[in-house]
Amino acid sequence: MEIVLAPYLAYKEEDGKELANTLSNGIQYLNNSTTFDDFDRMQYLVKYALPLQQQLGVFIKKLGLELNTTLYLNYNASNVFSPDFLKSFDSIPPQKRKELALIGKALFFDSKLSGNGLVSCSSCHQSENYFADGKIVSASLDKTQPLRRNTPSLHYSSYQQSQFWDGRAKTMTAQIKDVLFNPLEMGGHQSAILKYVMGNVKYSAILASLFPDTHNNDEDMNHIALALSAYVTTLNPMNSAFDQYMAGDKKAMTATQVKGFNLFMGKAQCGSCHFLPYFNSLVPPFYDRSEVEVLGTPKTDNLTHPEVDDDMGRFDLYKIRYYKQAFKTPTVRNTEKTGPYMHNGAFSSLESVIDFYNKGGANGLGLATPDQTLASKPLNLTKPEIAAIIQFINSLTDKN
Ligand code: HEC
Ligand code: HEC
C-alpha cells in the first residue's frame, strides 16, 4: 500500500497527512509483532486497519478517484463493518425496496402459499428463534419424513452469492421458488399461489402499482419471489456487542471475548473460512463469490466412534471429486441461538463443534476424507481457549 500510495500522497500531501500517519503506524505495529499466535488482531483491526480503510475512502473521494470497478463495494461506507458496506446482491430498484419488503414480510408469515395451507416460511424460519427452528432437521410438509438438512438461520443469508447448504441456488429468488414448489417443503403450485396472491387486494394492489407493466404469470411469480427476497434482505441487524465494539464502544466486549476473537482469527484458523465481516462464506476482497469447504462433518457428534455422513453435499450437483462432502460455510453470527449445528444438525453444542475442529476434522478423527480443505492437524486449543472462542461467538448475538 505504501508503494502504491506514495505518488498520490506526495501530490496531495496536506490531504493525505492522517492517512500516511496511520499507514506508517500500522506498518510499525506489524513489524513489532512477535509470533503468529501472539499478534493482537483486534488491536490491529480497530487501531489501524479500520481507520486506514475509512481515511483511504475519504482520500480517494477528495482526489475524485472513485473508479467503481467493483460491483458490490460501497465507497461511501466507512469500513467493512458499516451496515452499508456492500451494495445489495439483487436487482430490486431502490425506490421499490421498502414497499416490496413489506409485502414480502406478510407473505413470509402467510401459510396460504403452501400446498396444504398450513405451512409458511416462518414455520421453519421462526423469527423468535433467529429464523432457524431449533431442530436437528424439520419434518416434511406431510410430516411423514424428516427433511434432509438442518434449517439455516436467515440472518445475513442475503450476504451470500449462493443459497442452500450446497450453494445450489445462485440467487435468493431462485432459492425461494425452489422452496415454494418443493413438495417436501411448501408444496405450492404457481397457479394456486398466483390465484391467491393476485386475488388478495392487500398484495395485488401494491404489486400492480410497483410493477404496472406485468403481463404474464411468470413475471407475477417472479415479483412474489422478489418480495420475499426483499424481506429476507432486511434481516441483517448488525447490532451485536461485537458490532458496537467495531463502532467504537470499547466497553461492548469483555476481555475474554476479545481474546476469543484473536483466537478465532489466529491460532484456531476459523477466520480463514468464516470471513469478515459476516463470518460466512463470502470471499473478500470482492465479495462476489461464496465458498464451499470440506470438513467431513460426521453423521453424529460421537467423535469417539465417528461415522461418515452419507450426504455428499455439492458433489450431488457436480460430480467433481473435491466437491464430495463440500458445504457452504455458514455465518457464526447468532450461532449462540441457532443450534443444532452443521448441514445435518449433528452437533448439539458449540463445544462439540469446536472439539471437532480441534481434533482436525474428519481426517484428524481417522475418517478418510481425501479432499478435506480443513487442516487435519490438531489445533491444540486448551479448554480456556475454547471457552474464549465461544464467548466471542456469543458477542455476535444480535438483539432480536
Ligand atoms: C419445511 C421447512 C422450511 C420452510 C417452510 C421454508 N424453509 Fe427455507 N430452508 C429450509 C431448509 C431445511 C433449508 C436448507 C436446505 C438445503 O440447504 O438443502 C432452507 C434454506 C433456505 C434459504 C437458504 C439459506 C442459506 O443460507 O443458504 C433461504 C434464503 C430460505 N430457506 C428462505 C425461505 C423462505 C423465503 C421460505 C418461504 C417461502 C422458506 N425458506 C420456507 C427449511 C424451510
Ligand atoms: C476449512 C474451512 C473452515 C474452517 C477453518 C472453520 N470452519 Fe466452521 N464451518 C465451515 C463449514 C463448511 C461449515 C458447515 C459444515 C457442514 O455443514 O457440514 C462450518 C460450520 C460451522 C458452525 C456451524 C454453524 C451452523 O449454523 O450450523 C460453527 C459454529 C462453526 N463452523 C464455527 C467455526 C469455528 C469456531 C472455527 C474455528 C475453530 C471454524 N468454524 C473453522 C468451514 C470452516
Side-chain angles (χ1 to χ4, degrees), residues 165 268-270 273-274 295 297 327 330 341-343 350 357 374:
W165 282 101
Q269 302 170 23
C270 321
C273 295
H274 296 272
L295 312 182
T297 306
F327 293 96
Y341 303 109
M342 309 306 216
H343 70 276
L350 289 173
Y357 284 118
L374 176 76

Side-chain angles (χ1 to χ4, degrees), residues 165 264 268-270 272-274 293 295 297 327-332 335 338 340-343 350 353-354 357 373-374 379 381 389 393:
W165 282 101
F264 189 96
Q269 302 170 23
C270 321
S272 65
C273 295
H274 296 272
E293 297 281 348
L295 312 182
T297 306
F327 293 96
K328 212 176 52 190
T329 309
T331 180
V332 296
T335 36
T338 62
Y341 303 109
M342 309 306 216
H343 70 276
L350 289 173
V353 173
I354 299 180
Y357 284 118
T373 55
L374 176 76
L379 296 169
L381 296 170
I389 294 173
I393 291 178

Side-chain angles (χ1 to χ4, degrees), residues 20-301:
N21 240 339
T22 312
L23 185 60
S24 82
N25 291 343
I27 292 170
Q28 200 177 354
Y29 186 85
L30 289 170
N31 285 336
N32 289 343
S33 299
T34 48
T35 65
F36 182 86
D37 286 355
D38 290 340
F39 176 47
D40 188 339
R41 289 155 174 84
M42 183 63 105
Q43 183 81 348
Y44 180 71
L45 187 66
V46 297
K47 250 184 123 167
Y48 305 108
L50 297 182
L52 200 55
Q53 187 184 0
Q54 191 256 336
Q55 289 159 15
L56 185 61
V58 172
F59 188 63
I60 289 172
K61 268 182 272 173
K62 261 197 184 143
L63 267 60
L65 291 176
E66 301 105 311
L67 295 176
N68 287 316
T69 46
T70 56
L71 270 176
Y72 303 110
L73 294 178
N74 178 9
Y75 265 114
N76 295 318
S78 54
N79 67 51
V80 286
F81 293 105
S82 309
D84 59 347
F85 164 57
L86 294 183
K87 298 175 201 163
S88 54
F89 297 170
D90 56 40
S91 56
I92 300 172
Q95 72 279 14
K96 298 186 177 170
R97 182 173 291 281
K98 221 171 163 184
E99 251 184 312
L100 206 51
L102 275 179
I103 314 182
K105 183 173 184 180
L107 289 167
F108 190 89
F109 292 91
D110 191 336
S111 54
K112 296 248 169 51
L113 299 184
S114 67
N116 65 5
L118 299 174
V119 171
S120 72
C121 308
S122 73
S123 307
C124 299
H125 302 286
Q126 301 159 354
S127 55
E128 67 277 20
N129 286 319
Y130 286 79
F131 294 90
D133 59 12
K135 296 181 185 142
I136 295 175
V137 290
S138 245
S140 63
L141 183 68
D142 63 4
K143 308 272 182 236
T144 59
Q145 51 177 306
L147 291 182
R148 190 153 168 241
R149 294 184 183 145
N150 173 265
T151 306
S153 163
L154 298 187
H155 279 305
Y156 306 101
S157 61
S158 58
Y159 288 127
Q160 301 179 107
Q161 295 288 4
S162 65
Q163 301 292 329
F164 288 126
W165 282 101
D166 49 15
R168 69 184 178 279
K170 290 214 165 57
T171 62
M172 179 88 72
T173 44
Q175 185 283 325
I176 286 169
K177 282 197 240 168
D178 187 308
V179 174
L180 282 171
F181 304 144
N182 186 329
L184 295 178
E185 287 172 350
M186 292 187 61
H189 299 280
Q190 175 158 318
S191 53
I193 292 173
L194 287 178
K195 196 169 159 203
Y196 167 66
V197 175
M198 303 323 271
N200 182 323
V201 283
K202 179 170 81 174
Y203 298 129
S204 60
I206 300 177
L207 281 174
S209 76
L210 288 175
F211 303 104
D213 302 324
T214 313
H215 300 300
N216 69 53
N217 288 347
D218 287 347
E219 276 177 39
D220 279 335
M221 191 63 228
N222 280 342
H223 297 149
I224 291 170
L226 210 56
L228 281 159
S229 150
Y231 171 59
V232 174
T233 302
T234 64
L235 306 176
N236 309 315
M238 303 278 284
N239 65 16
S240 66
F242 174 83
D243 292 301
Q244 284 163 9
Y245 193 95
M246 288 300 114
D249 178 0
K250 291 280 150 9
K251 290 204 207 73
M253 284 170 81
T254 67
T256 311
Q257 288 174 329
V258 170
K259 185 172 168 232
F261 172 80
N262 280 327
L263 288 162
F264 189 96
M265 299 307 288
K267 183 180 174 186
Q269 302 170 23
C270 321
S272 65
C273 295
H274 296 272
F275 301 116
L276 299 184
Y278 308 109
F279 299 95
N280 67 1
S281 60
L282 192 62
V283 188
F286 298 118
Y287 306 94
D288 55 355
R289 166 170 89 77
S290 277
E291 231 179 40
V292 291
E293 297 281 348
V294 180
L295 312 182
T297 306
K299 202 177 235 171
T300 72
D301 62 357

